[in-house]
mmCIF file of all heavy atoms in Angstrom:
data_model
loop_
_atom_site.group_PDB
_atom_site.id
_atom_site.type_symbol
_atom_site.label_atom_id
_atom_site.label_comp_id
_atom_site.label_asym_id
_atom_site.label_seq_id
_atom_site.Cartn_x
_atom_site.Cartn_y
_atom_site.Cartn_z
ATOM 1 N N GLY A 110 12.960 -16.516 -11.454
ATOM 2 C CA GLY A 110 12.492 -15.607 -12.508
ATOM 3 C C GLY A 110 12.310 -14.185 -12.024
ATOM 4 O O GLY A 110 12.435 -13.877 -10.821
ATOM 5 N N SER A 111 11.971 -13.336 -12.959
ATOM 6 C CA SER A 111 11.747 -11.913 -12.651
ATOM 7 C C SER A 111 10.763 -11.337 -13.688
ATOM 8 O O SER A 111 10.620 -11.847 -14.800
ATOM 9 C CB SER A 111 13.057 -11.161 -12.681
ATOM 10 O OG SER A 111 13.675 -11.243 -13.930
ATOM 11 N N PHE A 112 10.111 -10.245 -13.256
ATOM 12 C CA PHE A 112 9.102 -9.618 -14.082
ATOM 13 C C PHE A 112 9.236 -8.102 -13.998
ATOM 14 O O PHE A 112 9.484 -7.569 -12.937
ATOM 15 C CB PHE A 112 7.684 -10.018 -13.618
ATOM 16 C CG PHE A 112 7.544 -11.484 -13.308
ATOM 17 C CD1 PHE A 112 7.583 -11.913 -11.981
ATOM 18 C CD2 PHE A 112 7.369 -12.385 -14.331
ATOM 19 C CE1 PHE A 112 7.453 -13.268 -11.681
ATOM 20 C CE2 PHE A 112 7.249 -13.764 -14.019
ATOM 21 C CZ PHE A 112 7.309 -14.180 -12.727
ATOM 22 N N LEU A 113 9.006 -7.442 -15.133
ATOM 23 C CA LEU A 113 8.855 -5.999 -15.170
ATOM 24 C C LEU A 113 7.395 -5.665 -15.281
ATOM 25 O O LEU A 113 6.702 -6.221 -16.152
ATOM 26 C CB LEU A 113 9.652 -5.389 -16.301
ATOM 27 C CG LEU A 113 11.183 -5.236 -16.128
ATOM 28 C CD1 LEU A 113 11.761 -4.602 -17.358
ATOM 29 C CD2 LEU A 113 11.516 -4.401 -14.878
ATOM 30 N N ILE A 114 6.909 -4.770 -14.423
ATOM 31 C CA ILE A 114 5.494 -4.375 -14.375
ATOM 32 C C ILE A 114 5.338 -2.992 -15.010
ATOM 33 O O ILE A 114 6.062 -2.064 -14.642
ATOM 34 C CB ILE A 114 4.986 -4.398 -12.935
ATOM 35 C CG1 ILE A 114 5.216 -5.764 -12.292
ATOM 36 C CG2 ILE A 114 3.539 -3.955 -12.853
ATOM 37 C CD1 ILE A 114 5.132 -5.731 -10.759
ATOM 38 N N ASP A 115 4.451 -2.888 -15.960
ATOM 39 C CA ASP A 115 4.241 -1.635 -16.679
ATOM 40 C C ASP A 115 3.277 -0.737 -15.908
ATOM 41 O O ASP A 115 2.056 -0.829 -16.026
ATOM 42 C CB ASP A 115 3.667 -1.949 -18.101
ATOM 43 C CG ASP A 115 3.423 -0.694 -18.901
ATOM 44 O OD1 ASP A 115 3.806 0.386 -18.462
ATOM 45 O OD2 ASP A 115 2.806 -0.820 -19.993
ATOM 46 N N MET A 116 3.827 0.156 -15.102
ATOM 47 C CA MET A 116 3.024 1.025 -14.242
ATOM 48 C C MET A 116 2.213 2.034 -15.069
ATOM 49 O O MET A 116 1.226 2.568 -14.558
ATOM 50 C CB MET A 116 3.888 1.736 -13.207
ATOM 51 C CG MET A 116 4.593 0.789 -12.261
ATOM 52 S SD MET A 116 3.493 -0.304 -11.361
ATOM 53 C CE MET A 116 2.606 0.878 -10.271
ATOM 54 N N THR A 117 2.611 2.286 -16.308
ATOM 55 C CA THR A 117 1.838 3.227 -17.140
ATOM 56 C C THR A 117 0.515 2.604 -17.603
ATOM 57 O O THR A 117 -0.317 3.285 -18.197
ATOM 58 C CB THR A 117 2.664 3.645 -18.376
ATOM 59 O OG1 THR A 117 2.827 2.528 -19.253
ATOM 60 C CG2 THR A 117 4.001 4.173 -17.979
ATOM 61 N N SER A 118 0.365 1.277 -17.362
ATOM 62 C CA SER A 118 -0.823 0.578 -17.820
ATOM 63 C C SER A 118 -1.912 0.497 -16.728
ATOM 64 O O SER A 118 -2.876 -0.215 -16.921
ATOM 65 C CB SER A 118 -0.483 -0.830 -18.292
ATOM 66 O OG SER A 118 -0.131 -1.674 -17.194
ATOM 67 N N ILE A 119 -1.730 1.206 -15.614
ATOM 68 C CA ILE A 119 -2.722 1.130 -14.526
ATOM 69 C C ILE A 119 -4.093 1.479 -15.058
ATOM 70 O O ILE A 119 -4.313 2.516 -15.692
ATOM 71 C CB ILE A 119 -2.386 2.101 -13.386
ATOM 72 C CG1 ILE A 119 -1.037 1.722 -12.738
ATOM 73 C CG2 ILE A 119 -3.503 2.161 -12.332
ATOM 74 C CD1 ILE A 119 -0.531 2.752 -11.732
ATOM 75 N N THR A 120 -5.049 0.567 -14.823
ATOM 76 C CA THR A 120 -6.427 0.778 -15.316
ATOM 77 C C THR A 120 -7.404 0.602 -14.156
ATOM 78 O O THR A 120 -7.231 -0.282 -13.322
ATOM 79 C CB THR A 120 -6.763 -0.277 -16.394
ATOM 80 O OG1 THR A 120 -5.819 -0.157 -17.454
ATOM 81 C CG2 THR A 120 -8.152 -0.054 -16.939
ATOM 82 N N VAL A 121 -8.391 1.467 -14.118
ATOM 83 C CA VAL A 121 -9.494 1.386 -13.116
ATOM 84 C C VAL A 121 -10.681 0.705 -13.835
ATOM 85 O O VAL A 121 -11.087 1.104 -14.898
ATOM 86 C CB VAL A 121 -9.897 2.771 -12.610
ATOM 87 C CG1 VAL A 121 -11.097 2.689 -11.700
ATOM 88 C CG2 VAL A 121 -8.702 3.457 -11.932
ATOM 89 N N GLN A 122 -11.250 -0.290 -13.164
ATOM 90 C CA GLN A 122 -12.308 -1.074 -13.818
ATOM 91 C C GLN A 122 -13.736 -0.817 -13.253
ATOM 92 O O GLN A 122 -14.708 -1.181 -13.864
ATOM 93 C CB GLN A 122 -12.012 -2.572 -13.711
ATOM 94 C CG GLN A 122 -10.804 -2.988 -14.532
ATOM 95 C CD GLN A 122 -10.605 -4.487 -14.613
ATOM 96 O OE1 GLN A 122 -10.753 -5.172 -13.578
ATOM 97 N NE2 GLN A 122 -10.317 -5.006 -15.781
ATOM 98 N N ASP A 123 -13.799 -0.197 -12.072
ATOM 99 C CA ASP A 123 -15.125 -0.009 -11.455
ATOM 100 C C ASP A 123 -15.756 1.342 -11.744
ATOM 101 O O ASP A 123 -16.862 1.610 -11.300
ATOM 102 C CB ASP A 123 -15.013 -0.182 -9.928
ATOM 103 C CG ASP A 123 -14.182 0.863 -9.297
ATOM 104 O OD1 ASP A 123 -12.948 0.901 -9.595
ATOM 105 O OD2 ASP A 123 -14.693 1.681 -8.512
ATOM 106 N N LEU A 124 -15.063 2.189 -12.512
ATOM 107 C CA LEU A 124 -15.598 3.488 -12.907
ATOM 108 C C LEU A 124 -15.641 3.619 -14.425
ATOM 109 O O LEU A 124 -15.009 2.857 -15.135
ATOM 110 C CB LEU A 124 -14.745 4.626 -12.321
ATOM 111 C CG LEU A 124 -14.634 4.690 -10.790
ATOM 112 C CD1 LEU A 124 -13.607 5.780 -10.418
ATOM 113 C CD2 LEU A 124 -15.971 4.979 -10.144
#
Side-chain angles (χ1 to χ4, degrees):
S111 59
F112 316 99
L113 282 181
I114 303 164
D115 180 8
M116 298 303 292
T117 68
S118 71
I119 296 172
T120 302
V121 175
Q122 293 187 317
D123 65 295
L124 298 174

